[in-house]
Amino acid sequence: MKTNRAFKEFCVLGGLAYSVCGVAQERPNIIVFLVDDMGLMDTSVPFLADESGQPVRHPLNDWYHTPNMERLAKQGICFSTFYAQSVSSPSRASIMTGQNATRHGVTNWINAESNNRTPFGPPEWNWKGLRKDMPTMPRVLQQAGYKTIHVGKAHFGCMGSEGENPLNIGFDVNIAGSGIGHPGSYYGEWGYGSIKGEKARAVPDLEKYHGTDTFLSEALTVEANREIAAAVKEKRPFYLNMAHYAVHSPFQADKRFLSRYTDPDKSDQAKAFATLIEGMDKSLGDVMDQLEKLGIAENTLIFFLGDNGGDAPLGDERGYGSSAPLRGKKGTEFEGGMRVPFIVGWAKPEKKSAVQKHLPIEAGGIQMQLGTIMDIYPTVLSVAGCEVPQNYVIDGFDLKRQLSGKADRKRPESFLMHFPHAHRGSYFTTYRLGDWKLIYYYSPETPKQPKALLYNLKDDPEERKELSSTHPDKCREMIQEMAAQLEKEGALYPVDKQGNELKPFVYF
């Protein structure tokens, strides 16, 4: 199994030149508000834009109701193209490490009880997840004097692994985080799976709400707001990883919002999913209100995002439904499987704020240049005044310039997503370079017959016109560039029936 270089537990303060011993108000609080299985189109905020950067609404934007996302978007900046991994655990590991899945080795979602490499997956893939010796984002912030808080879904490692417990990877507080990837139930009456539902996936630490009508998203929000207040009382800057189990299945209706969703053409599951979205959105508003109440909104930076493409119960898994007009759901190689909503904003913009002057954010802007889930790590450390630990390789880029509404010409216009397992899309690597996107299939059962698809996303954002036969030279070039990056990042590959490693090659 691949390992990271040894981590020296220190944090050299730089960037914004904050002092570890400085007054808490001089160092920004940081919230990463992460929504499970929320795709780009699961919101009333229009992230897709035209060539001039103007937002374009689509039918799904009118189906969902997310006023607090709209609130954050008005005072922050939205990224029209923000890439995550196509399933949960790889994305969560990338947020924590700043590394691509090829490098940290968590290339599939982690089954809590057993190794789910799938039939031809890499035998040595990192199914046990994050470890104590990794210089995770919470670990570096903890060393810098931040109070680090995890609330909600973790899914950083399997049962019995070091990564199972967020306390092992740098969090001071863990509420409801474990090795499970979805809740046994959203209902307090059901004990979130402890009383009724899928007991093997019962959400821990919330016994005080068992038997009540407190929906899971609400219980997590109450706990998060309590921890925020505690950090303020302690006069410590905090990092909160607010990681909702919503909107992952089971699609159980949040009855507080069900009356809004009455479209007879939508299934009961689709209506229930919409209530999960709105309940998550209420949580965002409640957290922002708490920051205002405590007088720390001007000093708190919020990163809002989903962890992989959407899984709304609308349409075909590989077609045009849940992410329309984009193609595909979570677990696929298409844009709908990898693009997620991403908003960054100060909880209360204030031009006179000394902290905000260090990180100006374009209010109401749409950033057309792409970003990736690996960018959160270096951006957060920069905002907190921490340098990346020595001899530690990251794959993300500091978003500071892009958050101001400008393009960062220093970052490459590329993204590589490697999935050497079976799912809705199986044994593939996607590689975007500029306007071009390659999808390479390894074909373990017929290893001498791989397949590649080529799309131009500028001309064809919906991935309807496959161009490998009309642009064979570009396809060859993309395969070669992709293969070079896979090797550089130490990727592990699928294997054939005899266990031979399958690396990509130009086959035509």
Side-chain angles (χ1 to χ4, degrees), residues 157-204:
C158 62
M159 299 295 189
S161 70
E162 292 180 353
E164 176 188 6
N165 187 345
L167 299 182
N168 287 332
I169 65 164
F171 286 102
D172 296 313
V173 176
N174 170 39
I175 299 171
S178 69
I180 64 174
H182 68 269
S185 170
Y186 282 98
Y187 296 137
E189 300 93 329
W190 293 12
Y192 312 117
S194 294
I195 300 169
K196 186 179 178 181
E198 190 177 353
K199 293 189 176 182
R201 296 295 179 265
V203 179

Short mmCIF file of all heavy atoms in Angstrom, two decimals, residues 157-204:
data_model
loop_
_atom_site.label_atom_id
_atom_site.label_comp_id
_atom_site.label_asym_id
_atom_site.label_seq_id
_atom_site.Cartn_x
_atom_site.Cartn_y
_atom_site.Cartn_z
N GLY A 157 -12.40 6.12 6.63
CA GLY A 157 -11.76 4.82 6.75
C GLY A 157 -12.77 3.78 7.17
O GLY A 157 -13.87 4.10 7.63
N CYS A 158 -12.42 2.51 7.01
CA CYS A 158 -13.33 1.41 7.35
C CYS A 158 -13.36 1.18 8.86
O CYS A 158 -12.59 1.76 9.62
CB CYS A 158 -12.90 0.14 6.63
SG CYS A 158 -11.25 -0.45 7.10
N MET A 159 -14.26 0.32 9.30
CA MET A 159 -14.36 -0.03 10.71
C MET A 159 -13.04 -0.65 11.17
O MET A 159 -12.46 -1.51 10.50
CB MET A 159 -15.50 -1.03 10.94
CG MET A 159 -16.88 -0.50 10.57
SD MET A 159 -17.40 0.88 11.60
CE MET A 159 -19.13 1.06 11.08
N GLY A 160 -12.54 -0.17 12.29
CA GLY A 160 -11.31 -0.71 12.84
C GLY A 160 -10.05 -0.06 12.32
O GLY A 160 -8.95 -0.37 12.77
N SER A 161 -10.18 0.86 11.39
CA SER A 161 -9.01 1.56 10.84
C SER A 161 -8.73 2.81 11.66
O SER A 161 -9.56 3.28 12.43
CB SER A 161 -9.25 1.95 9.38
OG SER A 161 -10.23 2.98 9.30
N GLU A 162 -7.56 3.38 11.45
CA GLU A 162 -7.24 4.65 12.12
C GLU A 162 -8.16 5.76 11.64
O GLU A 162 -8.57 6.62 12.42
CB GLU A 162 -5.78 5.02 11.86
CG GLU A 162 -4.78 4.10 12.54
CD GLU A 162 -3.34 4.48 12.28
OE1 GLU A 162 -3.08 5.38 11.45
OE2 GLU A 162 -2.46 3.86 12.90
N GLY A 163 -8.52 5.74 10.37
CA GLY A 163 -9.35 6.78 9.81
C GLY A 163 -10.81 6.71 10.21
O GLY A 163 -11.57 7.65 9.96
N GLU A 164 -11.22 5.60 10.83
CA GLU A 164 -12.62 5.47 11.24
C GLU A 164 -13.03 6.60 12.18
O GLU A 164 -14.13 7.15 12.08
CB GLU A 164 -12.85 4.13 11.92
CG GLU A 164 -14.26 3.95 12.46
CD GLU A 164 -14.43 2.70 13.30
OE1 GLU A 164 -13.42 2.02 13.58
OE2 GLU A 164 -15.58 2.40 13.69
N ASN A 165 -12.15 6.96 13.11
CA ASN A 165 -12.45 7.98 14.11
C ASN A 165 -11.78 9.29 13.72
O ASN A 165 -10.56 9.38 13.68
CB ASN A 165 -11.95 7.53 15.48
CG ASN A 165 -12.39 8.48 16.59
OD1 ASN A 165 -12.83 9.61 16.34
ND2 ASN A 165 -12.27 8.03 17.82
N PRO A 166 -12.55 10.34 13.44
CA PRO A 166 -11.96 11.62 13.08
C PRO A 166 -10.97 12.17 14.10
O PRO A 166 -10.09 12.96 13.74
CB PRO A 166 -13.18 12.54 12.93
CG PRO A 166 -14.28 11.61 12.49
CD PRO A 166 -14.03 10.35 13.27
N LEU A 167 -11.09 11.76 15.36
CA LEU A 167 -10.14 12.23 16.37
C LEU A 167 -8.72 11.78 16.04
O LEU A 167 -7.74 12.40 16.48
CB LEU A 167 -10.54 11.72 17.76
CG LEU A 167 -11.91 12.17 18.30
CD1 LEU A 167 -12.12 11.62 19.70
CD2 LEU A 167 -12.04 13.69 18.28
N ASN A 168 -8.59 10.70 15.28
CA ASN A 168 -7.27 10.18 14.93
C ASN A 168 -6.57 10.96 13.82
O ASN A 168 -5.37 10.81 13.61
CB ASN A 168 -7.36 8.71 14.50
CG ASN A 168 -7.62 7.78 15.66
OD1 ASN A 168 -7.24 8.06 16.79
ND2 ASN A 168 -8.26 6.65 15.38
N ILE A 169 -7.32 11.79 13.12
CA ILE A 169 -6.71 12.49 11.97
C ILE A 169 -6.67 14.00 12.18
O ILE A 169 -6.51 14.75 11.23
CB ILE A 169 -7.42 12.14 10.65
CG1 ILE A 169 -8.87 12.63 10.65
CG2 ILE A 169 -7.36 10.64 10.38
CD1 ILE A 169 -9.49 12.67 9.26
N GLY A 170 -6.81 14.43 13.44
CA GLY A 170 -6.59 15.84 13.72
C GLY A 170 -7.76 16.63 14.23
O GLY A 170 -7.65 17.83 14.46
N PHE A 171 -8.90 15.99 14.45
CA PHE A 171 -10.05 16.71 14.99
C PHE A 171 -10.05 16.64 16.53
O PHE A 171 -9.81 15.57 17.10
CB PHE A 171 -11.36 16.14 14.44
CG PHE A 171 -11.61 16.52 13.01
CD1 PHE A 171 -11.38 15.62 11.98
CD2 PHE A 171 -12.09 17.79 12.69
CE1 PHE A 171 -11.61 15.98 10.66
CE2 PHE A 171 -12.32 18.15 11.38
CZ PHE A 171 -12.08 17.24 10.36
N ASP A 172 -10.34 17.77 17.15
CA ASP A 172 -10.48 17.82 18.61
C ASP A 172 -11.84 17.29 19.05
O ASP A 172 -11.99 16.77 20.16
CB ASP A 172 -10.35 19.26 19.12
CG ASP A 172 -8.98 19.85 18.86
OD1 ASP A 172 -7.97 19.16 19.16
OD2 ASP A 172 -8.90 20.98 18.36
N VAL A 173 -12.84 17.46 18.19
CA VAL A 173 -14.21 17.08 18.51
C VAL A 173 -14.76 16.25 17.36
O VAL A 173 -14.56 16.59 16.19
CB VAL A 173 -15.11 18.32 18.72
CG1 VAL A 173 -16.56 17.91 18.95
CG2 VAL A 173 -14.60 19.18 19.86
N ASN A 174 -15.43 15.17 17.68
CA ASN A 174 -16.13 14.36 16.67
C ASN A 174 -17.53 14.07 17.14
O ASN A 174 -17.75 13.49 18.20
CB ASN A 174 -15.41 13.04 16.42
CG ASN A 174 -16.25 12.09 15.56
OD1 ASN A 174 -16.90 12.53 14.62
ND2 ASN A 174 -16.24 10.81 15.90
N ILE A 175 -18.50 14.48 16.35
CA ILE A 175 -19.91 14.19 16.62
C ILE A 175 -20.50 13.52 15.39
O ILE A 175 -20.53 14.12 14.31
CB ILE A 175 -20.71 15.46 16.97
CG1 ILE A 175 -20.14 16.12 18.23
CG2 ILE A 175 -22.19 15.15 17.14
CD1 ILE A 175 -20.73 17.48 18.53
N ALA A 176 -20.88 12.27 15.54
CA ALA A 176 -21.63 11.51 14.52
C ALA A 176 -20.77 11.01 13.37
O ALA A 176 -21.30 10.47 12.40
CB ALA A 176 -22.80 12.33 13.97
N GLY A 177 -19.46 11.12 13.46
CA GLY A 177 -18.60 10.63 12.40
C GLY A 177 -18.04 9.25 12.70
O GLY A 177 -17.56 9.00 13.80
N SER A 178 -18.10 8.35 11.71
CA SER A 178 -17.59 6.98 11.88
C SER A 178 -17.24 6.42 10.50
O SER A 178 -17.05 7.17 9.55
CB SER A 178 -18.63 6.10 12.57
OG SER A 178 -19.75 5.86 11.71
N GLY A 179 -17.19 5.11 10.39
CA GLY A 179 -16.85 4.48 9.12
C GLY A 179 -18.03 4.28 8.20
O GLY A 179 -17.86 3.81 7.07
N ILE A 180 -19.25 4.64 8.62
CA ILE A 180 -20.42 4.41 7.78
C ILE A 180 -20.53 5.48 6.70
O ILE A 180 -20.10 6.61 6.88
CB ILE A 180 -21.72 4.37 8.61
CG1 ILE A 180 -22.00 5.72 9.29
CG2 ILE A 180 -21.65 3.25 9.64
CD1 ILE A 180 -23.34 5.79 10.00
N GLY A 181 -21.10 5.08 5.57
CA GLY A 181 -21.20 6.00 4.44
C GLY A 181 -22.58 6.59 4.22
O GLY A 181 -22.74 7.49 3.41
N HIS A 182 -23.58 6.09 4.92
CA HIS A 182 -24.92 6.67 4.85
C HIS A 182 -25.65 6.37 6.14
O HIS A 182 -25.25 5.46 6.88
CB HIS A 182 -25.70 6.14 3.64
CG HIS A 182 -26.06 4.68 3.73
ND1 HIS A 182 -25.25 3.69 3.22
CD2 HIS A 182 -27.13 4.06 4.29
CE1 HIS A 182 -25.81 2.51 3.44
NE2 HIS A 182 -26.95 2.71 4.09
N PRO A 183 -26.71 7.11 6.45
CA PRO A 183 -27.41 6.90 7.73
C PRO A 183 -28.37 5.73 7.67
O PRO A 183 -28.99 5.46 6.63
CB PRO A 183 -28.16 8.21 7.92
CG PRO A 183 -28.47 8.67 6.54
CD PRO A 183 -27.29 8.24 5.69
N GLY A 184 -28.52 5.04 8.80
CA GLY A 184 -29.52 3.99 8.88
C GLY A 184 -30.93 4.55 8.75
O GLY A 184 -31.84 3.87 8.27
N SER A 185 -31.09 5.79 9.14
CA SER A 185 -32.36 6.51 8.99
C SER A 185 -32.12 7.98 9.28
O SER A 185 -31.19 8.34 10.00
CB SER A 185 -33.42 5.98 9.97
OG SER A 185 -34.56 6.82 9.99
N TYR A 186 -32.98 8.83 8.72
CA TYR A 186 -32.93 10.26 9.02
C TYR A 186 -33.86 10.63 10.18
O TYR A 186 -33.84 11.77 10.64
CB TYR A 186 -33.36 11.07 7.79
CG TYR A 186 -32.27 11.19 6.74
CD1 TYR A 186 -32.25 10.34 5.64
CD2 TYR A 186 -31.28 12.16 6.84
CE1 TYR A 186 -31.26 10.45 4.67
CE2 TYR A 186 -30.29 12.27 5.87
CZ TYR A 186 -30.29 11.41 4.80
OH TYR A 186 -29.30 11.52 3.85
N TYR A 187 -34.64 9.68 10.66
CA TYR A 187 -35.69 9.99 11.62
C TYR A 187 -35.22 9.81 13.06
O TYR A 187 -34.73 8.74 13.44
CB TYR A 187 -36.91 9.11 11.37
CG TYR A 187 -37.57 9.34 10.03
CD1 TYR A 187 -38.00 8.28 9.25
CD2 TYR A 187 -37.77 10.63 9.53
CE1 TYR A 187 -38.61 8.47 8.02
CE2 TYR A 187 -38.37 10.84 8.31
CZ TYR A 187 -38.79 9.76 7.56
OH TYR A 187 -39.38 9.97 6.34
N GLY A 188 -35.43 10.86 13.87
CA GLY A 188 -35.13 10.75 15.29
C GLY A 188 -36.00 9.70 15.96
O GLY A 188 -35.57 9.00 16.88
N GLU A 189 -37.25 9.57 15.49
CA GLU A 189 -38.15 8.55 16.04
C GLU A 189 -37.56 7.15 15.87
O GLU A 189 -37.86 6.25 16.66
CB GLU A 189 -39.52 8.61 15.34
CG GLU A 189 -40.24 9.95 15.49
CD GLU A 189 -39.96 10.92 14.35
OE1 GLU A 189 -38.85 10.87 13.78
OE2 GLU A 189 -40.86 11.70 14.01
N TRP A 190 -36.74 6.98 14.86
CA TRP A 190 -36.12 5.68 14.58
C TRP A 190 -34.71 5.59 15.15
O TRP A 190 -33.99 4.63 14.88
CB TRP A 190 -36.07 5.44 13.07
CG TRP A 190 -37.42 5.27 12.41
CD1 TRP A 190 -38.65 5.53 12.95
CD2 TRP A 190 -37.67 4.82 11.08
NE1 TRP A 190 -39.65 5.27 12.04
CE2 TRP A 190 -39.06 4.83 10.87
CE3 TRP A 190 -36.83 4.42 10.04
CZ2 TRP A 190 -39.65 4.44 9.68
CZ3 TRP A 190 -37.42 4.04 8.83
CH2 TRP A 190 -38.82 4.04 8.66
N GLY A 191 -34.31 6.61 15.89
CA GLY A 191 -32.96 6.61 16.46
C GLY A 191 -31.88 6.66 15.40
O GLY A 191 -30.76 6.18 15.63
N TYR A 192 -32.22 7.25 14.23
CA TYR A 192 -31.26 7.36 13.11
C TYR A 192 -30.67 6.00 12.73
O TYR A 192 -29.52 5.89 12.32
CB TYR A 192 -30.16 8.38 13.44
CG TYR A 192 -30.72 9.67 13.99
CD1 TYR A 192 -30.42 10.11 15.28
CD2 TYR A 192 -31.58 10.45 13.22
CE1 TYR A 192 -30.96 11.28 15.79
CE2 TYR A 192 -32.13 11.62 13.73
CZ TYR A 192 -31.82 12.03 15.01
OH TYR A 192 -32.37 13.19 15.53
N GLY A 193 -31.52 4.97 12.89
CA GLY A 193 -31.11 3.61 12.56
C GLY A 193 -30.93 2.72 13.77
O GLY A 193 -30.93 1.49 13.65
N SER A 194 -30.81 3.28 14.95
CA SER A 194 -30.60 2.48 16.16
C SER A 194 -31.86 1.75 16.60
O SER A 194 -31.80 0.64 17.14
CB SER A 194 -30.12 3.38 17.31
OG SER A 194 -28.85 3.91 17.04
N ILE A 195 -33.02 2.36 16.38
CA ILE A 195 -34.30 1.78 16.79
C ILE A 195 -34.97 1.07 15.62
O ILE A 195 -35.46 -0.05 15.75
CB ILE A 195 -35.23 2.89 17.34
CG1 ILE A 195 -34.59 3.57 18.56
CG2 ILE A 195 -36.60 2.31 17.71
CD1 ILE A 195 -35.30 4.84 19.00
N LYS A 196 -34.94 1.70 14.48
CA LYS A 196 -35.57 1.17 13.27
C LYS A 196 -34.80 1.67 12.07
O LYS A 196 -34.23 2.75 12.09
CB LYS A 196 -37.05 1.62 13.20
CG LYS A 196 -37.85 1.02 12.06
CD LYS A 196 -39.28 1.53 12.11
CE LYS A 196 -40.10 0.98 10.94
NZ LYS A 196 -41.51 1.49 10.96
N GLY A 197 -34.79 0.87 11.03
CA GLY A 197 -34.01 1.24 9.86
C GLY A 197 -32.85 0.27 9.69
O GLY A 197 -32.91 -0.87 10.14
N GLU A 198 -31.77 0.72 9.07
CA GLU A 198 -30.60 -0.12 8.86
C GLU A 198 -29.66 0.03 10.05
O GLU A 198 -28.87 0.97 10.13
CB GLU A 198 -29.89 0.27 7.55
CG GLU A 198 -28.81 -0.72 7.15
CD GLU A 198 -28.15 -0.37 5.83
OE1 GLU A 198 -28.61 0.57 5.15
OE2 GLU A 198 -27.16 -1.04 5.47
N LYS A 199 -29.74 -0.90 10.98
CA LYS A 199 -29.02 -0.75 12.25
C LYS A 199 -27.51 -0.76 12.07
O LYS A 199 -26.78 -0.14 12.85
CB LYS A 199 -29.46 -1.82 13.23
CG LYS A 199 -30.91 -1.65 13.68
CD LYS A 199 -31.29 -2.58 14.82
CE LYS A 199 -32.72 -2.30 15.28
NZ LYS A 199 -33.11 -3.14 16.44
N ALA A 200 -27.00 -1.46 11.06
CA ALA A 200 -25.56 -1.48 10.82
C ALA A 200 -25.05 -0.10 10.41
O ALA A 200 -23.84 0.14 10.46
CB ALA A 200 -25.21 -2.50 9.75
N ARG A 201 -25.95 0.78 10.02
CA ARG A 201 -25.57 2.13 9.62
C ARG A 201 -26.17 3.19 10.54
O ARG A 201 -26.36 4.34 10.16
CB ARG A 201 -26.00 2.39 8.17
CG ARG A 201 -25.30 1.49 7.15
CD ARG A 201 -23.81 1.78 7.09
NE ARG A 201 -23.09 0.92 6.15
CZ ARG A 201 -22.47 -0.21 6.46
NH1 ARG A 201 -22.50 -0.65 7.72
NH2 ARG A 201 -21.84 -0.91 5.55
N ALA A 202 -26.44 2.81 11.78
CA ALA A 202 -26.98 3.75 12.75
C ALA A 202 -25.98 4.87 13.01
O ALA A 202 -24.79 4.63 13.22
CB ALA A 202 -27.31 3.04 14.06
N VAL A 203 -26.45 6.10 13.02
CA VAL A 203 -25.58 7.26 13.23
C VAL A 203 -25.24 7.35 14.72
O VAL A 203 -26.13 7.37 15.56
CB VAL A 203 -26.26 8.55 12.75
CG1 VAL A 203 -25.36 9.75 12.99
CG2 VAL A 203 -26.63 8.43 11.27
N PRO A 204 -23.95 7.43 15.08
CA PRO A 204 -23.57 7.46 16.49
C PRO A 204 -23.70 8.85 17.12
O PRO A 204 -23.87 9.85 16.41
CB PRO A 204 -22.09 7.03 16.45
CG PRO A 204 -21.61 7.52 15.13
CD PRO A 204 -22.78 7.37 14.18
#
